[in-house]
Amino acid sequence: MMRSSAGWSRMLLLCLAIGVTHTKVLQEGMELDDEQARKLPDMTDLTVMKTLKCGVCQASVMEMAYGINWAENRKGKKLTEIEKVEVMELMCATKVDKYGLVLDADGNPTAQWSNDDRVLRAKGGWVTRLAQGVCSDVYNDYEDFMLEAAPKSCTNDVEAGKRTCSTRDLVVEVCVKGFQWCGVEPEPDEKLPNAPQVVKEDEDKGEL
């Protein structure tokens, strides 16, 4: 079910430059029109809320884990606990707020999250507040777990010159088992539900 309140119509649209959907021409900084506002996810629906929190929880865990590993790789050494905490705080302040709700082919908001500037998405207002709030919850409730587990989510293959990262186990522990926002625990070869579209600064687009 999709609904909106009058206040939600203040949401902004973000896109790389100008986006053309089946029925609309959208430009960065435009406010949602009445039709788009009506079709925002219904925040009073508990199932919809869990879906939204599931997606941005995964994004928060990924950003924290990736941020810690990126910093360690750049420095060429393990980070101290204080440094890892600073990275996690930075992710909530500067990375997660870039996520918005992807717009469909008609320019209407969906419940899928993305930080990809090439993808039309609704951002700002309650959407950004929700994303930052979930990231803060992850940080506050799972700080110790992330400090211990995040650095282990990436491995280096020296011979192949390749670095491989996976946040699946962290997401399952935090978002599925912990907060219980993502339904039942998926099978090892099963895709995580409500996975966001994630673009890393030095890598191509991918999913968690």
Side-chain angles (χ1 to χ4, degrees), residues 193-204:
N194 311 115
Q197 297 177 359
V198 178
V199 173
K200 299 169 186 172
E201 289 185 348
D202 58 348
E203 295 184 17
D204 293 332

Side-chain angles (χ1 to χ4, degrees), residues 6 18-19 23 38 59 62 82 123 125 134 173 191:
I18 296 178
T23 57
R38 284 195 303 271
M62 186 282 296
I82 292 177
K123 182 177 174 292
V134 168
E173 189 66 31
K191 185 178 179 180

Side-chain angles (χ1 to χ4, degrees), residues 48-102:
V48 172
M49 178 63 82
K50 286 184 66 175
T51 298
L52 292 172
K53 286 187 174 183
C54 172
V56 78
C57 179
Q58 295 181 58
S60 299
V61 170
M62 186 282 296
E63 293 289 0
M64 289 180 186
Y66 179 74
I68 289 172
N69 279 281
W70 183 86
E72 290 190 341
N73 190 52
R74 184 187 62 175
K75 288 177 176 288
K77 64 178 182 178
K78 298 293 184 181
L79 298 182
T80 66
E81 182 172 312
I82 292 177
E83 289 174 327
K84 286 186 284 187
V85 167
E86 290 174 347
V87 169
M88 291 169 61
E89 291 176 341
L90 187 64
M91 295 303 102
C92 289
T94 65
K95 295 294 184 181
V96 173
D97 68 342
K98 294 181 180 179
Y99 286 81
L101 299 180
V102 176

